[in-house]
C-alpha cells in the first residue's frame, strides 16, 4: 500500500470535466468521422447512438459504481468486490490502457505537428504527400515522444493539480472551438450535401453485423470504457455524488461532441468537393482531406485549421492522461510506488512501446484493432458479467448519493443479459478481422 493519502477531486465539476475529457478525444473526431464515412453516414450515427445508450451507459455506471465503492484502481477494486479470481481482468485493463496510449500518442503527435504547420507554414497543396511524409518515421517518433512527455507532466502533477486543472481549463475551450467551427462550416456554400450525407438515414444499411461491430467498438472506445479509466476516475469521488446522473452527463456530452465534430467535418468536406477522397482514405480522412481543404481556403484556412487541430490536441491530451492514470494509479496501489516514480516508469515504458506504431502504419492499425475491437470489448463484457452476476449488491452501491432510483433493476438486467449478448456478437465479428490484421504483420 502506498503511504501517500489517496487524492480526491476538488469539485463535482472538476470530476465531470475530467471524465468528459477522458471520453472526448481523437475518438470523437478522427475515429468517429472515418467510421461514419466508411459505414455509409447517417445509418452508422443512429446505430452508434443506440449503442452508446443501451450498452455504453450501463457499463459506464458499472465502472463508476465499482471505482467509487472500492476507492481503488482497477485491480484492487475488482479484488475488493469479487476476490482474487478477478485480478486477471484488472491486469487486462491496465495492459489495454498501456497499449491504447502507446499508439494514441502517435496520432496525437500528428495533431501537434499539423497545428504547428498551420502556424508556421500553412497547409501545402499536396496534402496526401505531406501526410505520407510525417505520419510514420523518425519524425513521427519524436513527436510521439514529445506528446508522451506532456502527458507524463500532467499526470505527474497529481489528480487535482494536474488532471483536474488541465480539464477545467481545456475542455470548455474545446467545446467553444468546435461550435465556432460548426457555425463556420454552415456558412460555406455547398455544405448542404454534407448535412444530407451525415443526417439522412438509409435504414437498410443499419442491418449489418459489420456496421454493428464498428458502432459498438466506437461507443466503447469513445466513452473510454472497458479498460478501467472511468473506474479509476470514480475512485477519487466522494460518497455524495449521484452516479447515474453523472453517467448520463458524461455519455451525453461525449455523443454531443462527436455529433458536433461531424457537423464540422462533413459540411466542410462536401463544400470543398472532397467526398471521394474521404471514402478512399479512411484513417487518413481527417489528416489528408481536411488539410487539403484548409490549403484551398487560403489565409482563412490557416486560422480555421489551427483551431481545428488545437481542438484535437486538447481532446487527445485529456484522454491520454486518463489512459496513463489507470497504469499509474495501479502502480501506486499495488506496488506502493510514489506518483512520481509510477509516472516516470510507466510513461517511459509506454513511450517505448509506441515506437513501432510511430514507424509503421500497419503496426498502428493492427494495435488499434486489437485494443479497440478486442481488448475493450472483451473487458467491457467481462465487467458487465462481473457487475451483473457476481458483485454483491451493485444496486445498493450505485444508489449511494441518489434518492433511490427505480430503474436500477433495469440497469442490472441490461448488464446481465443485453450487454453480454450484444458484445459477444461483436467479438465474434471482431476477432477474425483483428487476427487477419495481426497475421499480416508477421508475413
Ligand atoms: N475516449 C477516448 C477518445 O475518444 C479514447 C480513450 C479510450 C481514452 C479508452 C481512455 C480509454 O479519444
Amino acid at each position: 500500500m502506498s503511504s501517500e493519502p489517496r487524492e480526491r477531486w476538488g469539485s463535482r465539476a472538476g470530476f465531470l470535466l475530467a471524465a468528459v475529457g477522458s471520453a472526448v478525444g481523437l475518438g470523437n473526431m478522427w475515429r468517429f468521422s472515418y467510421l461514419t464515412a466508411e459505414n455509409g453516414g447517417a445509418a452508422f450515427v443512429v446505430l452508434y447512438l443506440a449503442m452508446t445508450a443501451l450498452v455504453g451507459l450501463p457499463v459506464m455506471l458499472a465502472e463508476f459504481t465499482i471505482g467509487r465503492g472500492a476507492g481503488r484502481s482497477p485491480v484492487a477494486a475488482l479484488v475488493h468486490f469479487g476476490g482474487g479470481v478477478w485480478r486477471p481482468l484488472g491486469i487486462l485493463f491496465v495492459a489495454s490502457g498501456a497499449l491504447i496510449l502507446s499508439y494514441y500518442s502517435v496520432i496525437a503527435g500528428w495533431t501537434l505537428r499539423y497545428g504547428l504547420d498551420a502556424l508556421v507554414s500553412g497547409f501545402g497543396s499536396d496534402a496526401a504527400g505531406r501526410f505520407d511524409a510525417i505520419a510514420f518515421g523518425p519524425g513521427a517518433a519524436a513527436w510521439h515522444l514529445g506528446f508522451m512527455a506532456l502527458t507524463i507532466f500532467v499526470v505527474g502533477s497529481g489528480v487535482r493539480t494536474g488532471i483536474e486543472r488541465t480539464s477545467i481549463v481545456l475542455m470548455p475551450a474545446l467545446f467553444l472551438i468546435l461550435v465556432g467551427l460548426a457555425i463556420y462550416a454552415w456558412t460555406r456554400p455547398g455544405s448542404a450535401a454534407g448535412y444530407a450525407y451525415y443526417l439522412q438515414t438509409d435504414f437498410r444499411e443499419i442491418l449489418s453485423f459489420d456496421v454493428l461491430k464498428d458502432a459498438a467498438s466506437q461507443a466503447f472506445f469513445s466513452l473510454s470504457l472497458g479498460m478501467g479509466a472511468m473506474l479509476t476516475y470514480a475512485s477519487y469521488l466522494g460518497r455524495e455524488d449521484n452516479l447515474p446522473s453523472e453517467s448520463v452527463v458524461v455519455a451525453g456530452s461525449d455523443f454531443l461532441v462527436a455529433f458536433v465534430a461531424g457537423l464540422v467535418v462533413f459540411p466542410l468536406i462536401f463544400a470543398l468537393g472532397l467526398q471521394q477522397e474521404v471514402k478512399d482514405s479512411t484513417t487518413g480522412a481527417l489528416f489528408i482531406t481536411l488539410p487539403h481543404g484548409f490549403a484551398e481556403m487560403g489565409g482563412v484556412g490557416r486560422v480555421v485549421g489551427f483551431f481545428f487541430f488545437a481542438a484535437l490536441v486538447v481532446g487527445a491530451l485529456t484522454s491520454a492522461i486518463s489512459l496513463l492514470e489507470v497504469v499509474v494509479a495501479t502502480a501506486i496501489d499495488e506496488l506502493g510506488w510514489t506518483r512520481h516514480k509510477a509516472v516516470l516508469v510507466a510513461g517511459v515504458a509506454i513511450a517505448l512501446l509506441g515506437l513501432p506504431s510511430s514507424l509503421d502504419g500497419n503496426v498502428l492499425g493492427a494495435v488499434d484493432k486489437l485494443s479497440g475491437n478486442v481488448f475493450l470489448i472483451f473487458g467491457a463484457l467481462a465487467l458487465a458479467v462481473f457487475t451483473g452476476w457476481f458483485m454483491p449488491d451493485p444496486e445498493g452501491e450505485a444508489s449511494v448519493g441518489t434518492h433511490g432510483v427505480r430503474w436500477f433493476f433495469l440497469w442490472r438486467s441490461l448488464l446481465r443479459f443485453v450487454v453480454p449478448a450484444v458484445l459477444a456478437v461483436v467479438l465474434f465479428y471482431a476477432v477474425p478481422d483483428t487476427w487477419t490484421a495481426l497475421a499480416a504483420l508477421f508475413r
Side-chain angles (χ1 to χ4, degrees):
M1 284 293 134
S2 164
S3 49
E4 293 173 31
R6 194 170 182 81
E7 295 191 69
R8 284 237 175 280
W9 299 109
S11 65
R12 173 175 183 237
F15 161 71
L16 282 176
L17 285 170
V20 171
S22 169
V24 168
L26 297 172
N28 301 59
M29 295 173 255
W30 163 71
R31 216 168 181 275
F32 173 73
S33 38
Y34 94 71
L35 284 174
T36 303
E38 212 172 69
N39 288 302
F44 177 78
V45 181
V46 172
L47 204 54
Y48 162 63
L49 177 62
M51 286 292 132
T52 299
L54 201 72
V55 194
L57 203 54
V59 175
M60 180 171 294
L61 181 54
E63 287 211 19
F64 281 170
T65 303
I66 296 171
R68 183 187 64 178
R72 297 246 166 276
S73 51
V75 176
L78 287 169
V79 171
H80 174 87
F81 281 117
V85 282
W86 292 93
R87 178 178 289 272
L89 180 60
I91 295 172
L92 174 77
F93 281 178
V94 178
S96 305
L99 202 63
I100 293 178
L101 181 54
S102 77
Y103 77 89
Y104 197 83
S105 160
V106 174
I107 305 167
W110 301 345
T111 65
L112 279 176
R113 183 112 180 224
Y114 274 106
L116 195 74
D117 268 6
L119 280 184
V120 178
S121 56
F123 302 99
S125 54
D126 180 15
R130 178 76 182 143
F131 182 74
D132 286 342
I134 67 169
F136 302 103
W143 285 89
H144 151 66
L145 295 179
F147 183 83
M148 278 305 300
L150 203 61
T151 308
I152 288 172
F153 174 77
V154 175
V155 176
S157 309
V159 173
R160 210 183 274 199
T161 29
I163 299 175
E164 182 169 349
R165 222 194 270 161
T166 307
S167 311
I168 288 181
V169 174
L170 292 182
M171 290 316 290
L174 183 151
F175 281 120
L176 287 180
I177 294 176
L178 273 185
V179 170
L181 290 174
I183 294 173
Y184 172 76
W186 178 59
T187 63
R188 303 286 299 170
S191 55
Y195 294 112
Y197 177 77
Y198 182 43
L199 302 174
Q200 271 170 26
T201 309
D202 178 355
F203 282 96
R204 275 164 306 175
E205 296 210 30
I206 292 189
L207 301 167
S208 123
F209 281 115
D210 228 32
V211 182
L212 177 78
K213 175 204 84 196
D214 280 349
S217 96
Q218 175 59 13
F220 282 93
F221 186 90
S222 187
L223 293 170
S224 306
L225 294 175
M227 47 68 65
M230 292 299 170
L231 190 160
T232 305
Y233 272 13
S235 75
Y236 304 118
L237 274 178
R239 311 279 297 162
E240 62 286 346
D241 281 73
N242 182 328
L243 298 182
S245 76
E246 314 297 53
S247 315
V248 172
V249 172
V250 175
S253 312
D254 184 61
F255 178 80
L256 195 71
V257 171
F259 187 74
V260 175
L263 291 179
V264 176
V265 172
F266 292 103
L268 273 186
I269 285 173
F270 278 79
L272 295 158
L274 299 172
Q275 46 275 27
Q276 197 48 47
E277 200 174 297
V278 174
K279 286 204 182 114
D280 296 342
S281 64
T282 63
T283 31
L286 208 64
F287 292 102
I288 298 174
T289 312
L290 283 178
H292 178 180
F294 296 146
E296 282 180 9
M297 284 153 60
V300 188
R302 269 177 82 165
V303 178
V304 175
F306 172 75
F307 280 109
F308 183 80
F309 284 109
L312 276 173
V313 169
V314 166
L317 182 64
T318 51
S319 297
I321 59 186
S322 74
L323 288 160
L324 184 55
E325 179 62 19
V326 172
V327 186
V328 166
T330 305
I332 294 174
D333 285 348
E334 299 296 312
L335 307 173
W337 289 3
T338 63
R339 173 166 287 271
H340 282 148
K341 178 175 174 190
V343 168
L344 268 184
V345 174
V348 169
I350 293 170
L352 296 177
L353 185 68
L355 286 178
S357 292
S358 72
L359 299 174
D360 182 344
N362 294 324
V363 175
L364 187 147
V367 178
D368 178 37
K369 282 208 160 97
L370 179 67
S371 49
N373 293 0
V374 179
F375 280 20
L376 288 189
I377 300 294
F378 179 81
L381 181 112
L383 196 86
V385 169
F386 172 74
T387 316
W389 296 96
F390 294 95
M391 182 177 169
D393 193 22
E395 286 106 328
E397 190 60 55
S399 66
V400 173
T402 71
H403 309 292
V405 183
R406 261 169 283 125
W407 43 263
F408 276 122
F409 173 74
L410 176 66
W411 172 57
R412 183 94 182 256
S413 311
L414 284 171
L415 287 177
R416 283 190 158 178
F417 305 105
V418 179
V419 176
V422 172
L423 294 186
V425 172
V426 170
L427 264 187
F428 181 80
Y429 280 86
V431 168
D433 192 42
T434 307
W435 182 252
T436 314
L438 279 177
L441 287 183
F442 297 102
R443 220 172 277 135

